[in-house]
């Protein structure tokens, strides 16, 4: 499988997922999340990784509802939880491609390719942070195609 890296990571418009030890403040978990995204997406600065993380989690927050949304917010660092929980649920489901396009529209200079990179850089670190079981439940709410954005293979029934 070949992975293409965009020439220049996108710059968000102004406005690894390594779990923190149980005793660590949630703010430390936020920094660990940003560091994991920075490493995953190969962003040159922590600030850029943080901006992309906020945009992607904001977009995701409108698409996850019910118990999964509550559980996702509980599992995320406090700052990330606020970003997810503050979103108004969308009125229309987006395909994975439309979701990526919606993220591209929020990031200055983004193309579909750089937006896909940004989305995958953030979402692919979530399983290590929130657990595979919760990611599976979140994916069950979303239309087909999102699994790849979370770094998972998506199998179709034969």
């Amino acid at each position: 499988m070949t992975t293409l890296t965009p020439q220049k990571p996108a710059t968000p418009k102004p406005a690894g997922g390594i779990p923190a030890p149980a005793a660590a403040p949630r703010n430390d978990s936020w920094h660990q999340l940003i560091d994991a995204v920075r490493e995953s997406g190969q962003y040159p600065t922590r600030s850029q990784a943080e901006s992309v993380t906020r945009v992607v989690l904001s977009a995701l927050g409108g698409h996850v509802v019910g118990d999964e949304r509550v559980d996702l917010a509980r599992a995320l660092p406090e700052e990330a939880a606020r970003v997810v929980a503050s979103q108004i649920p969308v009125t229309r489901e987006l395909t994975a491609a439309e979701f990526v396009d919606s993220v591209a529209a929020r990031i200055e200079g983004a193309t579909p390719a750089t937006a896909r990179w940004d989305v995958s850089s953030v979402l692919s670190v979530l399983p290590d942070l929130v657990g595979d079981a919760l990611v599976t439940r979140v994916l069950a709410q979303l239309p087909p195609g999102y699994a790849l954005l979370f770094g998972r293979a998506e199998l179709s029934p034969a």
Side-chain angles (χ1 to χ4, degrees):
M1 174 182 189
T2 303
T3 303
L4 300 176
T5 304
Q7 296 272 351
K8 176 183 167 215
T11 302
K13 290 179 185 173
I18 301 169
R26 288 185 80 179
N27 193 33
D28 286 347
S29 296
W30 170 251
H31 292 299
Q32 289 178 342
L33 170 61
I34 299 307
D35 288 343
V37 170
R38 182 177 179 191
E39 183 177 326
S40 173
Q42 301 174 0
Y43 297 104
T45 66
R46 175 181 261 181
S47 175
Q48 192 170 15
E50 182 173 352
S51 295
V52 166
T53 301
R54 288 181 187 281
V55 169
V56 173
L57 290 179
S58 173
L60 181 65
H63 292 277
V64 180
V65 296
D67 290 341
E68 286 71 23
R69 181 180 173 132
V70 172
D71 291 346
L72 181 60
R74 283 184 183 151
L76 289 170
E78 186 176 340
E79 186 67 25
R82 280 197 299 265
V83 172
V84 169
S86 68
Q87 302 310 304
I88 297 170
V90 297
T91 57
R92 182 180 78 82
E93 282 188 339
L94 298 179
T95 66
E98 290 170 331
F99 179 81
V100 168
D101 289 344
S102 78
V103 169
R106 298 176 187 203
I107 299 175
E108 188 175 329
T111 65
T114 60
R116 186 184 189 301
W117 180 265
D118 294 335
V119 169
S120 292
S121 295
V122 174
L123 298 184
S124 67
V125 302
L126 292 185
D128 286 342
L129 183 64
V130 304
D132 285 327
L134 179 54
V135 170
T136 298
R137 290 174 39 216
V138 167
L139 286 170
Q141 281 193 357
L142 301 170
Y146 279 79
L148 293 173
L149 299 174
F150 282 85
R152 289 186 172 184
E154 187 155 21
L155 303 175
S156 301

